[in-house]
Amino acid sequence: MASHITIRDLTAADIRVGFQAALSDFKAAPLSALFVASVFVIAGWLMTWITWISGTTFWLVLAVLGFPLVGALAAVGFYEISRMVGSDMPVSIRIVWQRAWGSLQGQMPWLAAIIVIVFLFWFFIGHMIFALFLGLAPMRNVMSSLDVFLSPAGLQMLAFGSLVGAGFAILVFSISVLAFPMLIDRDVDFMTALTTSMGAVIRQPLIYIGWGALIGCVTLLSMVPWFLGLFFTMPVFGFMTWHIYQRVSAGETPAP
C-alpha cells in the first residue's frame, strides 16, 4: 500500500541529541565504523594517486570540493551500524557489509544513480568554470600552479566555483539527507523518499542547510591531513544522520 511519510520539524535539540547518540554508536562499534570510514579515506587516496600519475593534480581541487557530494552513498554502512546498535544486535564488519550490500538490491541504486549523475555534472560544470577563468593559464600541478590559483582570475574562479558547488551540495543534501536512511528503514520507493526529504528541507531551509553546511565544512577540513580526519568525522555524521532521521520521522499514514 502506498504511504504518506510524516516528517516533523527539525530542531536544534534533535541535532544535539543526534550528536550524542552518534558518539555512543562510535564507542559501541568502533571497528565497524572505522572500516566503513576507510572507504572514504581510500577513495581520497585513490583520487589523489590518479591525478598525480596522470599529471593533472590541479584537478584535485575540483575533485575535493565535489567529494562530499557522494558521501551519502558510503554513509549507508553507518546507518546499518546505528540500526544494529539500537536493536542490540551483534555488530561485525562482515554483518555490516552484508546488510549494506543487501540494501543496494532495492530502491537504493536509483537514488544513488541520481547522486552520481549530479557529481559528474558538477565535474563538467567545474571544467567549464575553470576554462572560463583560467583557460589560458599554464597548469601542471597544484604546487607549481599555486600562483595561478592566487591570481585575481584564480581567486575569482575559486569564489564563483565555490558558489556553484554550494548549489550542487544543497541539491544533493536535500534529496539524500532523509531519503537514504528512509530507504533502509521503510519499504518505500525512491521517489517517495526523495520528495519527502526535499520537502523537509524546503519547509525548514535555514536549519537543514545550516546543518548541511556544517557537515560540508568539517568534511573538507578533515581532508587536509591526507584525508585521515575522515576516520572520525564520517562515522559521526553518518550516525548523526540516522538518529536525526529517527527523531523527525513521525510514522506513516495510508495515502488515498
Side-chain angles (χ1 to χ4, degrees), residues 44-93:
W45 292 344
L46 182 62
M47 182 173 62
T48 304
W49 178 72
I50 291 175
T51 57
W52 180 267
I53 64 171
S54 62
T56 57
T57 51
F58 51 87
W59 290 123
L60 187 61
V61 174
L62 183 63
V64 166
L65 290 176
F67 195 70
L69 297 180
V70 295
L73 302 182
V76 171
F78 299 127
Y79 305 154
E80 291 289 359
I81 293 174
S82 285
R83 185 161 68 160
M84 287 187 286
V85 171
S87 301
D88 293 325
M89 297 174 58
V91 181
S92 68
I93 293 176

Side-chain angles (χ1 to χ4, degrees), residues 76-247:
V76 171
F78 299 127
Y79 305 154
E80 291 289 359
I81 293 174
S82 285
R83 185 161 68 160
M84 287 187 286
V85 171
S87 301
D88 293 325
M89 297 174 58
V91 181
S92 68
I93 293 176
R94 179 180 62 84
I95 296 176
V96 171
W97 175 262
Q98 290 176 344
R99 291 174 67 95
W101 180 258
S103 66
L104 297 177
Q105 308 306 310
Q107 294 284 304
M108 194 77 69
W110 295 102
L111 187 58
I114 294 175
I115 304 298
V116 172
I117 290 173
V118 172
F119 177 75
L120 294 177
F121 188 62
W122 152 248
F123 230 83
F124 173 74
I125 294 297
H127 278 68
M128 293 183 61
I129 294 174
F130 180 87
L132 178 64
F133 288 92
L134 298 173
L136 300 179
M139 302 289 287
R140 293 184 177 85
N141 55 62
V142 172
M143 298 305 296
S144 64
S145 303
L146 185 59
D147 291 339
V148 177
F149 282 116
L150 296 180
S151 66
L155 292 175
Q156 292 175 14
M157 185 272 292
L158 291 175
F160 183 74
S162 297
L163 289 176
V164 175
F168 278 96
I170 291 173
L171 173 62
V172 171
F173 180 78
S174 299
I175 67 179
S176 64
V177 60
L178 299 180
F180 276 112
M182 186 179 298
L183 289 175
I184 291 178
D185 185 48
R186 301 168 185 262
D187 184 17
V188 298
D189 61 276
F190 80 98
M191 282 303 300
T192 298
L194 183 152
T195 54
T196 301
S197 182
M198 289 195 69
V201 176
I202 292 173
R203 191 171 67 248
Q204 290 185 283
L206 292 181
I207 189 168
Y208 272 103
I209 293 177
W211 175 31
L214 175 64
I215 293 176
C217 291
V218 173
T219 299
L220 290 176
L221 288 175
S222 62
M223 294 181 187
V224 175
W226 292 99
F227 298 89
L228 296 179
L230 298 178
F231 275 119
F232 176 76
T233 57
M234 298 318 297
V236 170
F237 286 135
F239 295 149
M240 275 184 68
T241 301
W242 174 261
H243 287 289
I244 289 174
Y245 159 76
Q246 288 287 308
R247 290 178 64 84

